Amino acid sequence: AYKFITALLHSKDITWVPLSVGEMVRVSRNIGLKILDSDLSAANGGNDGTMSDDILMVGLQQQNMLILPVEVKTGSKPDYKHAKKQVINLKNHLESQLKPRTLKGKLNRALFFRQLIAQIDKYKLYKVFPTNYFEKELIERNEWLRGEYSLQKSEELPNGVVVSHIDSDSFFEPDYNDDNDENVLLIDLPIALLNSLVTGSLKDFL
């Protein structure tokens, strides 16, 4: 799913980074910290309800950041109402932690970008993205790590995305639907496409 969404968002102006958020909103040891003890955790942010823990697409552009939660489902058609709630709750939670222009907000932004750098380092190690894909942002990493960047909203982007790999004998073509009040893009993909997404190289999709 992260390959599919990265290809959809691919832009020469914005560097998009897929980030796994399952550990981040609960407990992570990637940077030697328990995120449960920080303000980035769902619990410490006052969010104890349903929340997406799959993928967060992070867009970087000149000290401005875009976030796009992606919930992934596999099997029969999912409960779209529940899935939309999951991505909206994640988006609201992260915005509440990263947007405030306060000392607390600045520290959260610095911690969040440190998590992003850890993910980028893994992508570079395993050569997932094209060479130099992250070069511009890595040159400015110290500036990003100051936590002075801003969280922005783009009118061209939905509030979130739900990607469903549908296992059905009567479903053969991808289907896109953004006709809902929450402005969440619903993407249904035939399960037959899953293998090519899993085995294919991200570089071939960009």
Side-chain angles (χ1 to χ4, degrees):
Y2 85 89
K3 297 174 187 176
F4 185 83
I5 297 300
T6 300
L8 283 182
L9 294 173
H10 187 56
S11 165
K12 65 178 182 180
D13 300 319
I14 302 174
T15 301
W16 284 100
V17 186
L19 179 65
S20 175
V21 293
E23 292 184 355
M24 187 187 71
V25 294
R26 289 175 174 79
V27 178
S28 175
R29 297 180 180 84
N30 287 351
I31 55 174
L33 295 174
K34 286 188 176 182
I35 296 301
L36 187 61
D37 295 333
S38 84
D39 289 323
L40 290 181
S41 72
N44 287 345
N47 297 281
D48 55 3
T50 182
M51 184 181 294
S52 178
D53 61 357
D54 289 337
I55 304 167
L56 182 71
M57 298 299 302
V58 182
L60 306 175
Q61 183 183 37
Q62 299 177 350
Q63 293 300 301
N64 291 315
M65 179 181 286
L66 300 164
I67 59 173
L68 181 68
V70 180
E71 177 67 15
V72 183
K73 305 292 187 183
T74 303
S76 59
K77 285 205 172 186
D79 180 346
Y80 293 114
K81 182 178 180 180
H82 179 73
K84 287 187 288 185
K85 185 177 181 181
Q86 286 180 287
V87 295
I88 293 297
N89 283 353
L90 176 59
K91 185 178 180 67
N92 289 342
H93 167 65
L94 290 176
E95 287 183 345
S96 72
Q97 305 305 305
L98 301 176
K99 266 192 171 183
R101 308 308 294 182
T102 60
L103 176 60
K104 179 180 177 181
K106 179 178 179 179
L107 292 174
N108 282 342
R109 287 190 293 275
L111 177 61
F112 180 78
F113 195 78
R114 190 177 294 273
Q115 284 285 87
L116 200 65
I117 286 293
Q119 184 68 65
I120 289 175
D121 286 342
K122 292 178 183 176
Y123 287 139
K124 288 175 64 65
L125 176 64
Y126 294 105
K127 300 179 181 179
V128 176
F129 282 81
T131 304
N132 299 328
Y133 179 86
F134 301 107
E135 182 178 24
K136 180 174 64 176
E137 307 308 334
L138 289 177
I139 289 174
E140 301 175 357
R141 66 187 297 168
N142 289 335
E143 185 66 23
W144 284 102
L145 286 169
R146 292 178 61 226
E148 297 288 359
Y149 62 85
S150 298
L151 206 63
Q152 300 292 328
K153 182 177 181 180
S154 172
E155 297 299 325
E156 298 179 359
L157 292 175
N159 289 323
V161 180
V162 177
V163 177
S164 304
H165 300 287
I166 305 297
D167 188 0
S168 172
D169 293 335
S170 60
F171 184 70
F172 306 103
E173 297 291 336
D175 183 61
Y176 302 81
N177 185 357
D178 60 357
D179 186 19
N180 55 79
D181 294 336
E182 295 88 350
N183 189 26
V184 174
L185 177 61
L186 307 178
I187 303 177
D188 291 343
L189 300 176
I191 197 71
L193 292 178
L194 185 56
N195 186 61
S196 61
L197 289 172
V198 171
T199 59
S201 169
L202 175 62
K203 299 173 186 178
D204 296 332
F205 291 93
L206 299 180

